[in-house]
DNA sequence: TACAAAAGTGGTACCGGTTCCAATCCGGGT
DNA sequence: ACCCGGATTGGAACCGGTACCACTTTTGTA
C-alpha cells in the first residue's frame, strides 16, 4: 500500500515550486517550457490532486443529488442521466434518498453541508423550508427538479410543464367522449400534485364539464395509496363511476395498475387509463399503456447545467424556471367509453 | 451567506482547546464536565465538522458505488438499498455509472482515487484488472457485488448463488417436461454469465439432456442483444426450436420480452419463459412472469457491512465470498410444453 | 540606453480538522 | 508530607492543495 504522490513530489520532480504546479493545474499563467516540464512530471508520477485538499479551500467539484427514491423508475433514470451529465463535466455526484420522509430529508441536508458540496439538485418532499433556505444562505446553489416549493421563490426549478401535460391527457380523454374522468396524483401539498390537478380541472372547465371532488385523489407517493384510490373510485355507484382515469404520478402507477388487474377491470372497455411517465414496461403490459412521456434527459441536462452555472457564477441573479415539454403517447389503454356499459 | 463555525469557534466558546473538541468528536478520553461544555457549545453554534478536513487526514466516511447503469431496475433498487444502508451508518455514497464501458470504468476508478474514498462497492465490467488492483494497493477497500472478476481473487464478493439459481430455473422447466431449453445470459466473460450457464448445463446434465450450443446465448448487456437472441432462437427449424427460455440477466429481460410480444408468441403455450429478477412489473404483464427473485436488500446489506468492516479494519484478512439464496417464484409464464405444437 | 509595465516564479500563510507529545492536575501509597 | 503514575488538557505540526504577495526576468517603449 504505497501512497499517492503529492503536489510537492511533482514540484520536486519538475524542479519548480509548488505554486507553479498549482498554477498548471488551474490554468494560471505559466511559461510554456515550464508547463511542459510540469505536465511531464505529473504524467510520470501519475499525480492526481486530491479532492479533499481542494475542497478545504472552497473549491468544489461535487454536487449532492437528493431524490425521493430510486425504486421509482422515473427517479432512477433521472439519476442515471444526472450522473452521466455531471461526469461529462468532471463533477461527482453524492447520492442521497429521502424515502419521501421530511425527517430524513432534514438529516440529508445537514450531511450535505458537512460534505461542503457546492450545489444540490433535489426533489424536495415539501417540508423543511427553513433548512433548504439555510442551505442557500450558506452559499450552496440549489436546483429543484421535477418538484418545487412555492415558498422558496428564489430557487431554480426544472420540471416538465405539469399543468399542460395533465391538461392534454384530460383533453385526450374528453376528445374520446369521456365525461367522468378521475385523476390520481400526488398530495396537494406538492407542486406536481397541485399543478397537475389544476391542468386537469382547466381542461374539464374548457369542455364545460363540472369537476367532481370525488374523482380527484391526491394521495401519498409511497405505499399502496394508488391501489386504495383505484378501489375507492371503482366502488362508486355506477352512475358516478369514472370511465377514464389519469394516474398523474409515476410513483402511484404501479400499485394502481396492480389493483386494476386484481379487480379484473377490462381496459379500455370498462376504464380508459393514462399514466404519467413512460417506462420500458408500459408497452409490455396488456394493453400497452397510453402515457405522458417525460423527457428525462432534458431534465437532467438542464439541472446539471443550472447548478454548475450557478456554482461558477456565470448566471445572472434571479431564479430560473425551466419547463420542458412532455409528450403524450397514445397506446391501447385509452378508447371511447362504452355507452352500454356505463348505463347497465 | 454567512460561514459555518469551525472547530476553533467551538473551542473558544467552550473555553477549551481544539484538541479537546476534536477528542469529543472522536470519542477520545475527555472529562465528563468538559465534554458537556463542549457538547453544549457544539449544539449552540450548530457546528458540524467538515468532511473535507477530515478526509485530508486519512479519515473516511465516503464510499464509492460503481454501477453499470441505473436504467436497469435491478441496479436501481440495489443503489437505493445501498444508499439506505450506508446512511444508517453515517456514510455517504458517491455514485458513478460505467454504462458497461471499460473505458468509462477506468476513468471512474481514477476519480474515485482523487476523492480518496475509503471503500468501493462495484459491479465490474470485467476489464481493467490492473486498475482495480492498483486501487486496492492504494488502500481502498473493494467489494464486488453481483458480479466478480476471477483474476482478482483477493477481493470480497457478494452475490446470489448464481449457479444454483440458474439450475433451479432449469430444473423447473425440465420438471414441466421441457427438453429443449434455451438460455440468454450475459457474455461469457462475466462471472454471472459463466456461472449461470454452468448452472443451466449442470441441471441439463443431471437430467440426462444433452446441451446444445445453439440454445445458449451469451450476449452483451446493453442494446437490443436480448431481442436479437430471441429472434435467432425462434428462427431455428421447428424441431430444434426451444420450448422453454430462461432470460438469465435482468439487463436482457426487457428487450427479450419486447421481441416476444412483437413476434406474437403465445406464452406459455408456445414458449415457457423464466426471467431473472423480480421487478414490480413482472406481475403486471400478461401472463405474469415466473422469475428468479434476487434478495436485493441482502446484497446491499452485506456489501455495505463488508466494505465498512474492512475500512474499520475489524475483519480478518482474506477475502470473503458471500452468496445469498435467490428464490424461484412460479407464475403463469411457465407451463408444460405443448406436444402438438412442437411437432406441427 | 534607460525605465516602466508585464510576465513568470518562489515563499508561505492559510483552509479545518487530527494527532503526537509535553505539561499539568489529581489522588493514593508509603 | 512526599513521590509516582494515570487521567486530562493544551500546543503545534501536519494532511495536500490554493492564493496572495514579493521578487526576478522579460518585453516594450520613449
Amino acid at each position: 500500500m504505497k501512497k499517492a504522490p503529492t503536489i510537492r513530489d511533482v514540484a520536486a520532480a519538475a524542479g519548480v515550486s509548488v505554486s507553479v504546479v498549482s498554477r498548471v493545474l488551474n490554468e494560471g499563467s505559466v511559461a510554456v517550457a515550464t508547463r511542459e516540464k510540469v505536465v511531464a512530471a505529473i504524467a510520470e508520477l501519475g499525480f492526481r490532486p486530491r479532492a479533499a485538499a481542494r475542497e478545504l479551500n472552497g473549491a468544489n467539484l461535487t454536487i449532492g443529488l437528493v431524490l425521493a427514491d430510486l425504486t421509482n423508475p422515473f427517479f432512477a433514470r433521472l439519476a442515471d442521466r444526472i450522473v452521466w451529465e455531471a461526469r461529462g463535466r468532471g463533477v461527482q455526484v453524492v447520492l442521497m434518498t429521502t424515502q419521501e420522509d421530511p425527517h430524513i430529508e432534514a438529516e440529508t441536508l445537514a450531511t450535505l453541508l458537512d460534505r461542503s458540496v457546492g450545489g444540490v439538485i433535489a426533489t424536495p418532499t415539501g417540508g423543511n423550508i427553513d433548512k433548504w433556505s439555510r442551505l442557500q444562505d450558506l452559499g450552496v446553489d440549489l436546483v429543484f427538479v421535477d418538484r418545487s416549493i412555492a415558498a422558496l421563490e428564489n430557487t431554480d426549478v426544472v420540471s416538465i410543464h405539469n399543468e399542460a401535460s395533465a391538461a392534454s391527457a384530460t383533453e385526450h380523454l374528453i376528445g374520446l367522449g369521456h365525461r367522468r374522468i378521475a385523476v390520481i396524483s400526488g398530495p396537494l401539498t406538492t407542486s406536481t400534485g397541485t399543478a397537475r390537478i389544476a391542468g386537469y380541472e382547466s381542461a374539464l372547465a374548457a369542455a364545460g364539464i363540472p369537476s367532481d371532488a370525488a374523482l380527484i385523489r391526491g394521495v401519498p407517493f409511497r405505499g399502496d395509496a394508488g391501489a386504495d384510490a383505484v378501489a375507492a373510485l371503482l366502488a362508486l355507484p355506477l352512475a358516478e363511476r369514472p370511465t377514464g382515469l389519469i394516474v398523474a404520478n409515476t410513483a402511484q402507477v404501479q400499485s394502481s395498475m396492480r389493483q386494476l388487474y386484481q379487480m379484473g377491470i377490462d381496459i379500455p372497455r370498462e376504464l380508459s387509463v393514462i399514466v404519467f411517465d413512460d417506462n420500458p414496461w408500459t408497452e409490455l403490459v396488456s394493453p400497452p399503456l397510453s402515457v405522458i412521456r417525460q423527457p428525462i434527459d432534458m431534465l437532467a441536462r438542464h439541472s446539471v447545467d443550472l447548478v454548475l452555472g450557478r456554482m461558477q457564477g456565470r448566471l445572472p441573479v434571479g431564479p430560473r424556471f425551466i419547463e420542458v415539454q412532455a409528450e403524450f403517447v397514445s397506446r391501447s389503454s385509452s378508447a371511447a367509453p362504452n355507452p352500454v356499459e356505463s348505463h347497465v
Side-chain angles (χ1 to χ4, degrees), chain A:
Chain A
M1 170 173 162
K2 53 197 171 184
K3 62 187 182 310
T6 77
I7 198 173
R8 304 186 211 262
D9 298 328
V10 175
V16 297
S17 73
V18 292
S19 320
V20 176
V21 180
S22 177
R23 259 179 249 119
V24 170
L25 258 30
N26 302 284
E27 53 204 59
S29 87
V30 178
V32 180
T34 316
R35 158 168 276 121
E36 279 171 2
K37 279 193 302 184
V38 174
V39 169
I42 289 177
E44 194 198 347
L45 277 67
F47 167 77
R48 310 209 75 203
R50 286 190 47 182
R54 288 187 145 169
E55 283 178 12
L56 205 42
N57 293 293
N60 224 301
L61 351 85
T62 307
I63 61 178
L65 177 59
V66 180
L67 295 177
D69 171 10
L70 248 36
T71 293
N72 180 331
F74 170 70
F75 291 134
R77 291 189 298 147
L78 185 59
D80 189 76
R81 293 339 291 165
I82 285 178
V83 168
W84 179 256
E85 293 288 341
R87 190 195 77 93
R89 294 166 172 76
V91 172
Q92 276 71 61
V93 174
V94 175
L95 174 67
M96 329 209 69
T97 57
T98 63
Q99 312 296 331
E100 300 288 5
D101 179 343
H103 184 262
I104 296 177
E105 182 179 64
E107 200 183 298
T108 289
L109 295 193
T111 302
L112 248 15
L113 281 183
D114 322 342
R115 291 233 55 101
S116 50
V117 296
V120 172
I121 298 176
T123 53
T125 62
N128 292 312
I129 298 183
D130 51 330
K131 305 246 173 39
W132 282 116
S133 68
R134 202 173 86 88
L135 191 74
Q136 291 182 301
D137 287 346
L138 257 27
V140 178
D141 296 301
L142 178 60
V143 174
F144 285 147
V145 63
D146 181 53
R147 313 177 188 165
S148 60
I149 296 182
L152 260 32
E153 54 215 353
N154 251 312
T155 307
D156 296 324
V157 179
V158 179
S159 72
I160 62 166
H161 202 312
N162 284 305
E163 211 168 314
S165 303
S168 76
T170 312
E171 284 156 11
H172 170 80
L173 289 177
I174 294 173
L176 287 172
H178 293 268
R179 306 274 303 170
R180 295 196 58 75
I181 301 170
V183 60
I184 294 176
S185 189
L188 290 172
T189 55
T190 66
S191 63
T192 49
T194 54
R196 290 176 189 176
I197 286 177
Y200 156 86
E201 291 195 306
S202 74
L204 286 187
I209 302 176
S211 118
D212 176 350
L215 298 182
I216 300 176
R217 306 280 165 160
V219 303
F221 293 121
R222 293 182 70 77
D224 286 328
D228 297 344
V230 164
L233 286 168
L234 292 176
L236 288 172
L238 212 42
E240 297 170 29
R241 193 181 297 173
T243 61
L245 169 65
I246 299 170
V247 183
N249 199 293
T250 316
Q252 290 131 358
V253 168
Q254 204 174 278
S255 73
S256 300
M257 293 308 297
R258 182 161 25 77
Q259 182 71 18
L260 287 173
Y261 285 115
Q262 274 177 11
M263 296 177 74
I265 302 298
D266 185 348
I267 301 170
R269 208 176 54 87
E270 290 179 73
L271 185 71
S272 283
V273 175
I274 298 176
V275 308
F276 262 58
D277 204 44
D278 192 17
N279 293 308
W281 58 269
T282 50
E283 54 172 343
L284 294 184
V285 299
S286 64
L289 300 177
S290 298
V291 301
I292 295 286
R293 176 184 292 158
Q294 307 196 57
I296 290 182
D297 48 348
M298 286 292 135
L299 294 176
R301 177 112 37 102
H302 284 130
S303 312
V304 173
D305 275 348
L306 259 184
V307 79
L308 292 185
R310 294 285 178 204
M311 282 163 62
Q312 293 159 12
R314 56 175 169 64
L315 249 44
V317 294
R320 283 266 255 268
F321 304 105
I322 299 183
E323 288 194 317
V324 299
Q325 198 94 33
E327 177 191 2
F328 177 72
V329 180
S330 177
R331 292 203 273 246
S332 323
S333 67
S334 51
N338 184 332
V340 179
E341 196 73 19
S342 63
H343 288 291
V344 168

